Amino acid sequence: LHSLDWQTDKPVRLLAHVQRLTAPNPGMMTGPGTNSYVIGDANSGFIVIDPGPPDREHIQRLWQACGGDLRFIVCTHSHPDHSPGAALLKKLCAEHGVNLRTMGMASADTARAHSRFVPDHALHDGDKLVLHSGSDTHTLRVVHTPGHAANHLCLVLEEDGLLFSGDHVLNGSTTVISPPDGHMGDYLDSLDKLASACVAGGIEFILPAHGHVLGFAHQAITPLKAHRLKREAKIAAAMQALPQGGLQEWVEKAYDDVPPRLWPVAARSLQAHVDHIREQALS
């Protein structure tokens, strides 16, 4: 399974029934752009995962990749580079006489105004979406993974041992945990949950919402927790050394290995670590 082509004007076929189209929204927080995945075949119809931002050309390409036979639109979470395209894709489907529902988890009250999302159909941990293709099936199982966002979910394509990780596991960077909707304790617990799912389901590859495909799935997840705990230890040391300090002083000390231009972003995850440290102290 290889993913080496980042062109946004055509789908990249990862398997016979898995395509990736990258939205034209590159940036510091999105890498090459948001990866939208199309699951299914001509006999089964298709599922789109993370239609991305409301970019009309990208939405049109998703429609074309589905050959007009779209069954479900699923959002891994409500952030503006993932879910707003769902309404636009649903509208395009309706214009072609295809009526379907958007799916995912509704954003929590803690979500910021630009990250509000209410699906037509709410998904829950363990739910399955099944496409039938003759005697074959394509089964997506929902795994609720709060942490990056309270309503974040990942999806396991059971027959192929693939994990669609949304923003919970990325390639090329660690995800930002931004309170109050982001929660470090939940993020770490969700990493454990995904690692267990990879072992139980024989999952070999992770398809993230940003970046290349990751192989050796379990081994790719394990270092993420170690990295976070190592960073948390540095933050705890900074807090101890500067007990009267605040985020600005602590980020300079705990993220001294990160370019200063990234400190404003790092401060979001630092706040999540500080909250986690204080929660653990109270437990």
Side-chain angles (χ1 to χ4, degrees):
L1 186 69
H2 299 286
S3 177
L4 302 175
D5 186 351
W6 285 115
Q7 295 184 56
T8 59
D9 61 348
K10 66 178 183 179
V12 175
R13 192 169 295 280
L14 305 174
L15 289 172
H17 49 273
V18 179
Q19 301 176 73
R20 186 202 68 226
L21 287 83
T22 303
N25 62 331
M28 184 178 70
M29 300 300 293
T30 57
T34 301
N35 293 330
S36 300
Y37 293 100
V38 179
I39 315 299
D41 58 54
N43 294 319
S44 67
F46 297 88
I47 299 172
V48 167
I49 299 173
D50 280 345
D55 181 272
R56 292 187 179 279
E57 291 186 4
H58 181 63
I59 296 304
Q60 183 66 40
R61 288 193 292 269
L62 288 173
W63 168 258
Q64 292 171 347
C66 295
D69 190 6
L70 183 54
R71 306 295 177 87
F72 307 111
I73 302 170
V74 182
C75 296
T76 60
H77 61 297
S78 54
H79 287 171
D81 55 327
H82 291 259
S83 65
L88 198 59
L89 183 55
K90 178 183 175 181
K91 180 181 178 182
L92 179 60
C93 291
E95 291 171 355
H96 288 82
V98 178
N99 295 310
L100 74 170
R101 296 176 293 175
T102 59
M103 296 188 171
M105 293 184 172
S107 52
D109 293 340
T110 50
R112 289 175 170 81
H114 72 311
S115 296
R116 301 290 183 185
F117 173 68
V118 179
D120 298 321
H121 177 80
L123 294 174
H124 303 88
D125 189 61
D127 283 353
K128 294 184 179 184
L129 302 177
V130 184
L131 296 176
H132 296 275
S133 179
S135 59
D136 297 325
T137 56
H138 309 305
T139 305
L140 280 175
R141 184 177 79 251
V142 175
V143 183
H144 184 205
T145 52
H148 176 67
N151 70 329
H152 195 286
L153 58 85
C154 295
L155 297 151
V156 174
L157 186 56
E158 294 185 337
E159 291 83 356
D160 297 286
L162 301 179
L163 172 65
F164 296 89
S165 63
D167 277 0
H168 205 83
V169 178
L170 303 175
N171 190 346
S173 66
T174 54
T175 196
V176 174
I177 311 298
S178 182
D181 202 47
H183 187 275
M184 188 60 66
D186 288 345
Y187 168 75
L188 296 173
D189 289 345
S190 292
L191 284 178
D192 290 340
K193 186 176 183 178
L194 288 180
S196 297
C198 287
V199 173
I203 296 170
E204 298 182 18
F205 295 96
I206 299 174
L207 282 65
H210 306 282
H212 291 283
V213 172
L214 287 157
F216 305 100
H218 186 270
Q219 294 93 317
I221 293 172
T222 302
L224 295 177
K225 185 173 183 178
H227 170 78
R228 285 294 189 181
L229 293 178
K230 183 178 179 181
R231 181 70 68 187
E232 188 157 292
K234 287 189 69 174
I235 292 169
M239 293 170 67
Q240 186 173 10
L242 301 168
Q244 303 305 315
L247 293 183
Q248 183 61 39
E249 292 80 13
W250 295 337
V251 78
E252 292 177 9
K253 195 171 186 66
Y255 285 83
D256 56 356
D257 57 334
V258 173
R261 63 184 175 82
L262 298 180
W263 285 351
V265 176
R268 300 189 217 168
S269 288
L270 183 143
Q271 181 65 68
H273 278 294
V274 169
D275 293 345
H276 188 233
I277 290 167
R278 289 171 173 167
E279 288 166 5
Q280 289 183 308
L282 293 174
S283 62

